[in-house]
Amino acid sequence: MPELPDVEGFRRQMERWTRGRRVEGVRVWDRELLRNSTPQAVGRLLAGKKLKPERHGKWLLARVRDDHATLVLHFGMTGLFTWDDADSRPHQHDRLGLTFGDRELRYRNMRRFGGYWLAHDDRELELITGPLGPDAFAIDEGDLRELLEPRRGGAKAALMDQRLIAGLGNLLVDEILWRARVNPRRDIRRVDEKKLYGTMRSVLEESLEHERVPPIEGWLTGARDSRDARCPRCDSKLRKETIAGRTTAWCPRCQRR
Ligand SMILES: [Zn+2]
């Protein structure tokens, strides 16, 4: 599942490839993934316009310049972008093409979770994304303290809640809690926010360099899926259980309740 750093990678691609160019055509190869509009309406709205890609949590928002509209993209499990010759034949899993001169930005999505939407203004945008808290990479320590202040319940559930903070998914939250030595079920009120913020920041910064939560040595993410999954810090056997609806990995020794 793409999380904040993956989607930031898609945003950077879109920015790099389409900057300064105008949309000349829109090709919808999968009408069902266009969740709330018609190919004609999208084509009319985007033709001749420049797009400014932004990210909010796990959502990519292609803002239409000189308009209030936004093309909203979610990458589901298997979404990605390609930048192809506009004349080349689309891949069988390409769902949307935006042509810019002789090139085409293609949204590919094999398993078809996610999709794309047209929002005419920010009110429509919120109906599509649901209420979102501020982006996890945009907040400072004081913001985090304020956001968590009224929150009750487990640490994992709190950080996963997109209405509270947008962009943290299963891998990021487990990584942050593991590094901060916080049990995923610990009451969020008993978590040191200063330490939590510092850890979140460093996990996000390193992940953004990789444009994913990197499954590398020294990271929980690099260890959690091995058969005999062990803590990279103390070599204890990792625990795995469903918490906040997701398979959660943690170290019973480093992250005591
Ligand atoms: Zn450990």
Side-chain angles (χ1 to χ4, degrees):
M1 199 75 168
E3 302 191 22
L4 187 156
D6 310 67
V7 181
E8 179 60 20
F10 301 137
R11 192 202 65 76
R12 290 172 185 167
Q13 286 181 322
M14 187 172 188
E15 172 84 38
R16 192 162 66 237
W17 290 332
T18 71
R19 189 179 0 204
R21 295 169 179 253
R22 289 179 192 280
V23 177
E24 289 174 26
V26 175
R27 300 203 284 171
V28 173
W29 293 300
D30 188 334
R31 286 196 61 150
E32 265 182 53
L33 280 203
L34 172 57
R35 303 290 191 190
N36 72 340
S37 188
T38 64
Q40 293 75 13
V42 178
R44 264 200 310 275
L45 205 117
L46 298 192
K49 296 286 182 30
K50 289 182 182 172
L51 300 177
K52 182 178 184 296
E54 295 174 4
R55 185 186 50 71
H56 189 165
K58 307 174 196 176
W59 294 87
L60 183 66
L61 311 177
R63 302 282 193 176
V64 181
R65 284 197 192 269
D66 310 316
D67 199 301
H68 300 291
T70 305
L71 178 69
V72 183
L73 292 129
H74 198 284
F75 291 83
M77 307 275 289
T78 53
L80 54 93
F81 277 145
T82 66
W83 182 240
D84 286 303
D85 194 330
D87 290 334
S88 68
R89 186 153 37 144
H91 183 277
Q92 61 167 324
H93 299 136
D94 285 346
R95 312 296 177 188
L96 172 72
L98 303 177
T99 51
F100 298 85
D102 58 354
R103 306 293 289 174
E104 190 162 58
L105 182 73
R106 292 177 178 169
Y107 165 84
R108 183 176 298 173
N109 189 338
M110 184 180 71
R111 293 184 60 190
R112 303 177 76 243
F113 295 105
Y116 44 100
W117 294 255
L118 191 62
H120 292 92
D121 53 35
D122 284 356
R123 193 191 52 87
E124 267 185 36
L125 179 60
E126 192 181 329
L127 294 176
I128 293 162
T129 62
L132 294 177
D135 186 85
F137 198 60
I139 58 175
D140 63 22
E141 196 188 311
D143 296 331
L144 182 69
R145 184 166 288 124
E146 246 173 65
L147 289 164
L148 293 180
E149 213 278 318
R151 181 76 192 200
R152 302 290 178 265
K156 168 123 187 184
L159 297 179
M160 292 282 287
D161 186 348
Q162 301 299 300
R163 294 169 299 180
L164 200 65
I165 305 167
L168 304 180
N170 199 40
L171 292 181
L172 277 173
V173 171
D174 284 3
E175 191 71 46
I176 292 164
L177 295 178
W178 174 73
R179 286 217 210 169
R181 297 176 184 258
V182 172
N183 185 284
R185 289 196 176 95
R186 189 194 293 178
D187 190 321
I188 192 68
R189 287 174 296 179
R190 292 183 46 244
V191 174
D192 176 346
E193 284 136 349
K194 188 177 175 63
K195 187 175 174 192
L196 181 68
Y197 181 77
T199 311
M200 178 181 86
R201 202 65 207 175
S202 66
V203 168
L204 284 175
E205 278 167 12
E206 285 182 67
S207 299
L208 282 166
E209 275 175 41
H210 293 264
E211 297 183 351
R212 65 194 290 209
V213 191
I216 54 179
E217 212 181 303
W219 284 57
L220 180 75
T221 305
R224 60 184 295 160
D225 292 329
S226 28
R227 197 183 306 175
D228 178 37
R230 289 183 175 275
C231 172
R233 195 160 41 208
C234 74
D235 205 42
S236 301
K237 197 164 165 43
L238 294 177
R239 295 271 315 263
K240 277 192 200 173
E241 273 174 42
T242 302
I243 301 176
R246 302 294 302 276
T247 302
T248 301
W250 79 97
C251 172
R253 189 161 155 209
C254 299
Q255 296 165 267
R256 290 178 199 278
R257 189 77 192 265

